[in-house]
Amino acid sequence: MILWLKVLSKHLRLLARYWVITFKEFSSFTWDVWLSVIQFVLYIGRSIVFWWAVSRIGVFGGWTLPELSFFAAISFLPGLHELFWNFWNRASFSDKVLRGDLDKYLARPVHPLFAIAAEDVHLAMFLKYFAPPLVMAICLVRGYHLPVTMGRFLVGYLLLSTGKLVLTMMRAASSMLAFKYGDVTGLQLLLFQFTALGRYPVDAFPSTLKFLLTYVLPAGFTATFPAMVMLGKAAGLEVFGVAAVLAFLWAFIVLRLWAVMVSSYESFGG
Amino acid sequence: MRTASGENVVVVENLVKDYTVPLPPKPGFGQRLRRVFAPEKGIKRALKGINLTVPRGQVLGFVGPNGAGKTTTIKILTGIIAPTAGNVSVLGFNPHRQRYEYTYHIGLVFGQRSLLWYDIPVIDSLKLYAEVYEVSREAFRRRLTRFAEILGIDEFLHVPVKKLSLGQRMRAEIAASLLHDPEVLFLDEPTLGLDAVAKEEIRLFLTETNKERGTTIFLTTHNMGDIEALCDRVVIIDEGTIIYDGTTEDLRNLEHEKHIDVEFLPVPGSSPLATGEAVAKSLALIQQYGVDSSQLATGRGTEARGHSLLPRKVRLRVPQEQSLEVVSLLLALGTVRDLNVAPPSLDAIIRRIYKGGLGDIVA
């Protein structure tokens, strides 16, 4: 128990140190950061315009225009875990395996997956992606008097984070195949192209597709169900239970795959 | 569980490592098409059952031509890759299976790869490593002072790594790898691409670290200067097999020859002391032992010495027991401007070993 606490405390201290490092890296590229914030706000705006155009045709799958706009805004919120790691989404893990870049992580007394992930810890980047959709969502709630309470919002956000964590773990698991099969970026694109459907309310899809996007490739947990919970259209606890089970299952699979696959790591010649 | 292994900090038994490699395509369109869907792969054996022990405190030079298996060995010893077969124990740990506990006790420097963060000052990388290895603040300060004194890292502690020269970066890398005072230090080509001054500084620091701290050093290099300056012992590996294992001095003694370089003044006529017989004997020696005696045959770069031709510069490789006699004959042959008698360099010896020139002598 004491050993575990010691390990945990060490990793928390490391996390703090990584934050300092990434903040320093971040602050040396300020101009780029502001440009990307503007680009991101425009991107969310484009999504809202899209739903405005759709709602002119009629009510979409039971969602009104203000609800769809709210849904569009929160679909851009990053999950809590993205504060800690973002590298799977950049598909760089298989690159690291292929280029032999895991050497420095494997030669240190810290779990390599933690080290790789923590290197991407980025409080400032997280805020950059968190603030614009949050501000938009608040404006929509105020402007259209949407029935979103603080409690519902927090439960919904927890659900969204868990849903995004599941997809991250699935991506991580597929990245482990790089140890055996080399570059898996193409395979990942193929497997995860359907996660883009999470940008649409999945409850409006046919039941088979809805099932697949809930339990198999759970993109529904990244926006639809959280938005429904926040708007009071669904009960939070039940949906959250499914997402939590999936997150634990996939985290277990990732750790098992890592333990097996790392023995196949061939590094890189001198 | 850490197992005791006496005073040998590294124990390697029958170490084998296989890599999977793509096979070259067979001719024909059908074969090429098949390869797209099911590429053919083969096994390349990088290490063919090597055995090695390294006692505590030794500085071992691990050398070999490109592709010999040096980096593979060092990566297995550091736990980065798993062996295909055989036993490896470093400080009583199985490096691959007990990586977490094991890596607290070792340091690692790759000449071709940086352990530091590119965009941030060196000090931030060092602070991070202090957290990784759980180095106390007091120990961190003390070691930083030592690195500043010997490696001069204080000059660039607050400079981002990307703005450092290669020599400065390598000094920072070595500081980072020694921050936790490891028992064994693995260095993979640490002086690669460095200028003479930087090489010297790093060698001095490593020598002091070995002497003061008793750190065992396992060094792979192509630079024989590193071996001569640092290593007590040399292990030569070629095609995955250890072909020599002995002290640096023994390696030098493998070659029972001396290199003699002589330059004559362009003055006609031989030395007044030289007899006709001595001149003839000297010329015969040049023919026999000259590294490049073609000059004598062609007459280029030579001068008339009576009825014979004598080169202005001669390099001879002479059996050790004959070297004195040859020198005295050369001195009698003409007026000498410069004379140098030296044992062959380690570089030359190892080059000959790679080419199989000392095949019957080595292990």
Side-chain angles (χ1 to χ4, degrees):
Chain A
M1 187 66 180
I2 291 169
L3 185 70
W4 276 106
L5 283 175
K6 205 177 149 204
V7 171
L8 183 70
S9 128
K10 172 186 165 175
H11 283 74
L12 287 174
R13 272 184 280 120
L14 273 174
L15 212 51
R17 183 60 60 191
Y18 277 120
W19 277 13
V20 172
I21 286 180
T22 50
F23 187 77
K24 286 191 179 177
E25 281 178 324
F26 175 80
S27 55
S28 58
F29 303 105
T30 326
W31 176 241
D32 287 349
V33 172
W34 282 113
L35 276 181
S36 60
V37 168
I38 294 167
Q39 186 196 10
F40 188 56
V41 169
L42 291 175
Y43 188 52
I44 299 171
R46 201 179 69 188
S47 180
I48 290 174
V49 169
F50 170 76
W51 287 116
W52 173 77
V54 169
S55 69
R56 303 269 293 175
I57 303 165
V59 174
F60 181 87
W63 294 72
T64 63
L65 173 63
E67 286 173 345
L68 282 173
S69 302
F70 177 79
F71 162 82
I74 72 132
S75 71
F76 285 95
L77 282 175
L80 261 182
H81 69 285
E82 286 172 76
L83 179 64
F84 301 97
W85 58 61
N86 196 32
F87 73 104
W88 311 106
N89 298 329
R90 290 197 223 152
S92 63
F93 183 79
S94 59
D95 285 352
K96 280 190 164 71
V97 173
L98 291 177
R99 289 198 305 247
D101 286 345
L102 289 188
D103 291 9
K104 67 175 180 180
Y105 304 101
L106 290 165
R108 294 179 200 157
V110 60
H111 196 293
L113 288 184
F114 172 84
I116 297 167
E119 264 186 22
D120 274 345
V121 161
H122 233 311
L123 184 60
M125 289 293 271
F126 180 77
L127 291 176
K128 176 188 127 179
Y129 286 113
F130 193 82
L134 182 69
V135 170
M136 283 198 173
I138 291 170
C139 292
L140 288 163
V141 170
R142 290 278 165 91
Y144 290 101
H145 304 290
L146 294 173
V148 179
T149 62
M150 182 57 89
R152 277 194 203 148
F153 183 83
L154 289 177
V155 175
Y157 181 66
L158 201 61
L159 177 62
L160 178 143
S161 287
T162 314
K164 290 206 167 183
L165 180 65
V166 175
L167 286 183
T168 298
M169 287 294 137
M170 292 175 79
R171 211 177 283 272
S174 65
S175 294
M176 297 296 157
L177 299 177
F179 284 111
K180 281 270 184 210
Y181 305 106
D183 189 7
V184 291
T185 319
L187 177 74
Q188 286 181 321
L189 282 174
L190 188 80
L191 289 176
F192 294 101
Q193 59 177 313
F194 296 104
T195 58
L197 290 174
R199 289 280 156 98
Y200 306 95
V202 298
D203 64 328
F205 292 150
S207 57
T208 312
L209 197 52
K210 187 182 164 187
F211 176 84
L212 289 174
L213 291 173
T214 304
Y215 298 105
V216 182
L217 200 62
F221 291 105
T222 60
T224 306
F225 300 134
M228 288 169 78
V229 170
M230 288 176 190
L231 291 165
K233 296 168 91 171
L237 211 60
E238 191 180 310
V239 194
F240 179 75
V242 176
V245 168
L246 287 172
F248 275 112
L249 177 72
W250 279 102
F252 176 76
I253 291 171
V254 168
L255 290 175
R256 285 307 304 152
L257 278 174
W258 166 263
V260 173
M261 294 295 202
V262 73
S263 300
S264 311
Y265 178 58
E266 291 198 340
S267 186
F268 193 64
Chain B
M1 177 74 71
R2 190 175 173 178
T3 54
S5 54
E7 272 308 282
N8 285 327
V9 291
V10 178
V11 180
V12 173
E13 291 167 348
N14 301 317
L15 182 62
V16 174
K17 178 66 187 175
D18 292 339
Y19 288 113
T20 312
V21 289
L23 293 176
K26 289 176 186 160
F29 178 74
Q31 287 293 337
R32 283 177 190 275
L33 194 65
R34 195 172 149 240
R35 189 180 155 80
V36 172
F37 297 101
E40 278 191 90
K41 290 188 174 171
I43 298 288
K44 179 179 166 33
R45 181 148 288 186
L47 296 177
K48 300 171 182 168
I50 67 169
N51 293 290
L52 181 70
T53 55
V54 183
R56 187 176 291 279
Q58 189 169 70
V59 184
L60 174 84
F62 198 64
V63 299
N66 291 330
K70 301 186 298 291
T71 304
T72 297
T73 307
I74 216 168
K75 285 187 176 172
I76 290 175
L77 291 178
T78 49
I80 290 172
I81 57 175
T84 306
N87 297 319
V88 180
S89 164
V90 184
L91 296 162
F93 291 100
N94 179 320
H96 191 68
R97 291 209 185 126
Q98 297 170 288
R99 198 174 44 237
Y100 187 85
E101 300 93 336
Y102 167 63
T103 46
Y104 274 105
H105 302 271
I106 61 160
L108 176 62
V109 175
F110 289 119
Q112 301 181 68
R113 275 175 191 225
S114 183
L115 297 173
L116 308 169
W117 278 259
Y118 195 65
D119 292 314
I120 59 163
V122 174
I123 186 71
D124 288 310
S125 288
L126 294 181
K127 281 179 180 171
L128 180 86
Y129 277 114
E131 295 288 1
V132 166
Y133 291 102
E134 300 179 57
V135 177
S136 70
R137 284 188 185 180
E138 174 51 32
F140 180 68
R141 258 198 305 273
R142 215 173 42 239
R143 283 169 203 161
L144 218 52
T145 309
R146 178 168 174 259
F147 298 147
E149 280 168 7
I150 311 176
L151 284 172
I153 64 164
D154 49 335
E155 296 163 20
F156 50 83
L157 263 182
H158 298 280
V159 179
V161 174
K162 64 184 172 189
K163 292 191 177 168
L164 299 181
S165 69
L166 185 60
Q168 288 172 326
R169 202 206 81 199
M170 195 46 66
R171 281 187 276 163
E173 299 273 354
I174 289 176
S177 68
L178 286 169
L179 203 55
H180 55 296
D181 197 14
E183 292 172 67
V184 186
L185 179 62
F186 293 94
L187 300 150
D188 193 14
E189 309 260 11
T191 56
L192 190 75
L194 299 186
D195 63 38
V197 177
K199 274 183 195 162
E200 194 53 34
E201 281 173 352
I202 285 173
R203 286 171 189 160
L204 271 174
F205 179 73
L206 293 173
T207 305
E208 283 204 32
T209 302
N210 170 255
K211 292 225 163 79
E212 282 177 17
R213 323 288 306 171
T215 311
T216 308
I217 297 179
F218 192 101
L219 166 79
T220 77
T221 184
H222 283 296
N223 189 320
M224 290 309 127
D226 292 345
I227 300 285
E228 294 193 69
L230 292 166
C231 300
D232 315 319
R233 177 180 160 204
V234 182
V235 171
I236 303 175
I237 185 169
D238 192 17
E239 294 181 1
T241 307
I242 289 177
I243 57 169
Y244 176 83
D245 184 351
T247 63
T248 312
E249 202 46 49
D250 286 347
L251 179 66
R252 201 189 291 284
N253 291 335
L254 275 182
E255 188 81 276
H256 302 289
E257 291 177 337
K258 293 259 189 212
H259 282 184
I260 299 173
D261 287 287
V262 61
E263 186 181 350
F264 294 103
L265 274 175
V267 179
S270 55
S271 160
L273 298 172
T275 62
E277 191 190 346
V279 170
K281 203 172 173 186
S282 303
L283 290 172
L285 279 170
I286 294 172
Q287 286 278 20
Q288 187 182 349
Y289 296 121
V291 172
D292 182 9
S293 53
S294 58
Q295 285 176 330
L296 284 179
T298 61
R300 278 182 303 171
T302 61
E303 284 190 26
R305 287 282 188 277
H307 53 81
S308 305
L309 292 171
L310 181 71
R312 280 197 206 107
K313 284 183 180 176
V314 183
R315 165 166 283 194
L316 303 172
R317 207 156 60 199
V318 182
Q320 211 155 326
E321 59 277 8
Q322 268 187 280
S323 55
L324 267 180
E325 184 196 354
V326 171
V327 168
S328 49
L329 281 169
L330 287 170
L331 285 171
L333 191 59
T335 312
V336 171
R337 171 184 274 170
D338 193 17
L339 175 74
N340 184 37
V341 183
S345 65
L346 274 185
D347 218 6
I349 295 171
I350 288 175
R351 216 167 32 235
R352 283 193 70 194
I353 292 176
Y354 290 172
K355 288 179 181 170
L358 295 172
D360 53 337
I361 303 170
V362 297

